[in-house]
Amino acid sequence: MRATLALFLLLSAVAAAGSEMACGTSPEWTEWLRGLGEWSAARAREVAAKGAAAPTASRRDDVFLVRADDTNAPFHRPFDLQGRTLVFERQGGDGFSVSNVPLEWDAELGSQVELGPSVGETHAVVTLGFDFPFFEGTRRRLYVTGYNAIYFEPPRLSWVRQYGDLDLVTEPQPVIAPLLSTLRSRLTPVPEIYVRKDANSAAVTWVAPDRYTLRATIDRSGDIRFSYHTVASRPAAGSIVVTSGLEPWRSRRTTIASQSDPAGDAAAGVPVGVGAMLDLTNVTVVRVDGLDLYEVRIRTRTAFNPDSLGSNDTVQFDARFGSQMIRYTRYAGGRERYTLPVWGGNDTSSAARVEGEEVVLSFLREHVGTSSSPLTVWTYRNGSRVDMTDSFTISLPASEKSVRTDFSAASQTLVDRPIAEAFTTPVLSVYRVWEQIKEADPSLNDEAIDGVAIYQNFLTDLVTFAGAYSTGGNAGVSGLYEGDQHAVAQPRVPALMHMNTLGYGHNSTSRGASRVVLHEIGHRWLMFVSLLENGLRTRKLNPVSPHPAQYVDTRAAFKVFTDSDTSVMGGGWFTDNGDGTFSTAGYGPYGYSWLDLYLMGLADESEVPSMYYIDDSDPQLGGEYYAPANQTFRGRRNDFTVGQIIGATGARKPAFPATQRNFRVVFVLVVDPDREPAAGDLERIEEYRQLLQRDFPVATGGRGDVVTALTPPPPAPRRRAGPK
């Protein structure tokens, strides 16, 4: 289960600038982004209806500046307890009174503890010298993790990107956490952990140098203290939560609406057992304890049992509220993924679960962004629909009773209710940013622009799962993927490119910044093709995502930085040693291959040389991104030609030389709502703009060029040009 998450993981080396991070580009992600764009547009209309000022976008030389707000960057909730202590005083067995007071801190840390291996989350076991009363029970054993949390039972492994309010309020494990983080949101090596204890109290201190120093203290009275000595702008996200996982409020539900569906109407051709588990019989929407927390509770003909899935089965439960989709996907082998509107996707989210006879999909009202909408529920197996309900209308009542606690309050009583607050990095709505740009400058439109490169001077949730992504848009071209003949007749749409934070990760060096922007604009055409082998269409070249596999030889057509440059999209430069082994060159994913240039419309098919990939590699090469540098692999060479790609995918239309050669990309800086852009921010984005203008012509051998200036260039043919 866990190994399959490699596509989404930030490597632990994320703490080092320039580290390898995955590209988030995929058709599924683009679909979700469109939904986010619709949510943002609706939110903008709500703001305008209240008479608020129109969203602002301004020009600074050749860059657009857009102020982050709730329409284009929802969930911007920075940590606000630096230098404070939260005092939780036990109130019976179901809550606390909480006070926010000046920092209480002493320098005595106690003894350092080490995290040991575990089936779940790595942790250190600490035995108390007293019985600690916690909700309705007492505890003597603590399980302390490197994610700033204390559990009271062995913690489960979590692949959540960043904890949001929904994740906290549905947390099933008893936990006390002053700043709960994850592998993806911590963005720092494992902190040092110290424990100091006596007969009356125990204090756990987490120290991540230059990032944070914080402490949780528990007392034999049942009182708790969270002290925040230092919390820098990173970790990217963290949460406060105190829960038993079994509070009575969780089971108090009010039915909003319910819809039955006939049993036995599932699609034919589905294995009997799986078909019964996906044959819908009832859907009920409930509200939990008068909160802004809701559940879609789905019943099927037989209880859903993930262990009964076939070895290659992927099943899906979709609940669509108007234009917003909630999706729970379960894979054979145990992996599960829950995708919410606006918030995005998480693995191992407690917000989606199998509970007795029902599949439960939890959500907050803010996720669907509407009070009333039609709801339809579908089930799928391996991408094919199995069953669906009739649409029925759901009205979600507004509530002042939020799942979210505001711990900045001086004092409050939290009894028989959620005790949690998520401090989160925002989710960037690239479609909303582009709409704001077009509102500011009506001369810009979808037809005229090929790409929109969107940077920020603050962290967004992108840092928890990828280095950048592109929507691809529509270049008005076919022959890029199977069945795309309609693209030629469809309106042109630019690639909207989330380019991450200035100076972060790839953007910390000129070569890295050049590579990632060439990569993301490359997704306008690349790399979705199929390959025809022995009469069968395969995805051998890109089996995991729209990136060439590591085992594909993708040497660059033209040198950009090194003599062994390879495609910015993935693959490697291999030398066939003639003895069944192949050696890679140094790191150099800075250019475009001849196949890339053909698909981009910058080369004729006759110019694309025969290529090859390595089958059954040993050590095994991955299914995406870049081959390890300066290593030797054993394997079997498989040659292929561009003709095999054309046979599987179709010929590119329009074809070289009657193709577009001159491209236009707009550069945008989304600005932190809490601070103005510094001079260094503007210098950085200007550098990135110049890099694309300089390196794109080099990578294409002078066959293409990119204009990034906002002053329109002199009129010139955009879609047709003679060969260069």
Side-chain angles (χ1 to χ4, degrees), residues 126-306:
V126 176
T127 301
L128 299 174
F130 57 90
D131 290 325
F132 173 64
F134 187 62
F135 288 90
E136 295 299 332
T138 59
R139 311 281 182 163
R140 267 192 174 255
R141 178 170 292 183
L142 311 180
Y143 298 84
V144 180
T145 77
Y147 300 114
N148 316 317
I150 299 171
Y151 292 87
F152 295 102
E153 57 189 41
R156 63 190 176 92
L157 195 64
S158 173
W159 293 108
V160 170
R161 295 184 296 109
Q162 61 172 340
Y163 283 102
D165 294 322
L166 180 64
D167 302 296
L168 302 179
V169 80
T170 55
E171 174 58 54
Q173 290 184 294
V175 59
I176 293 173
L179 197 65
L180 181 64
S181 63
T182 72
L183 172 66
R184 305 179 189 189
S185 63
R186 190 176 60 196
L187 302 190
T188 182
V190 178
E192 298 171 355
I193 303 173
Y194 298 87
V195 175
R196 185 189 69 211
K197 60 180 182 176
D198 55 33
N200 296 306
S201 66
V204 181
T205 304
W206 292 266
V207 179
D210 302 322
R211 299 295 177 85
Y212 58 83
T213 298
L214 51 93
R215 176 177 296 161
T217 304
I218 61 176
D219 190 88
R220 70 182 306 151
S221 67
D223 293 351
I224 302 167
R225 278 174 166 75
F226 293 159
S227 296
Y228 302 97
H229 182 277
T230 306
V231 179
S233 59
R234 299 173 185 170
S239 299
I240 297 172
V241 60
V242 177
T243 181
S244 70
L246 297 171
E247 296 91 341
W249 60 262
R250 295 171 182 260
S251 59
R252 295 196 289 264
R253 300 184 179 97
T254 303
T255 298
I256 301 297
S258 185
Q259 176 87 329
S260 296
D261 189 76
D265 63 343
V270 181
V272 174
V274 176
M277 292 192 299
L278 300 178
D279 184 5
L280 297 164
T281 59
N282 184 266
V283 174
T284 301
V285 178
V286 302
R287 185 185 192 184
V288 179
D289 196 34
L291 296 161
D292 54 347
L293 172 64
Y294 297 85
E295 296 172 344
V296 180
R297 305 185 74 90
I298 303 169
R299 284 183 176 262
T300 51
R301 183 153 48 93
T302 62
F304 180 66
N305 180 7

Side-chain angles (χ1 to χ4, degrees), residues 312-328:
N312 295 312
D313 276 336
T314 297
V315 298
Q316 191 171 293
F317 293 81
D318 285 358
R320 181 181 289 275
F321 288 83
S323 63
Q324 299 299 329
M325 179 73 79
I326 296 174
R327 173 171 293 165
Y328 174 56

Side-chain angles (χ1 to χ4, degrees), residues 340-386:
L340 287 159
V342 193
W343 181 246
N346 268 320
D347 293 279
T348 66
S349 171
S350 57
R353 59 197 182 275
V354 178
E355 192 175 281
E357 301 293 314
E358 297 176 316
V359 173
V360 181
L361 310 182
S362 305
F363 64 98
L364 302 180
R365 192 173 185 268
E366 65 184 352
H367 291 138
V368 296
T370 180
S371 60
S372 180
S373 60
L375 170 64
T376 308
V377 175
W378 289 266
T379 58
Y380 293 85
R381 172 181 175 264
N382 299 334
S384 298
R385 192 175 73 193
V386 176

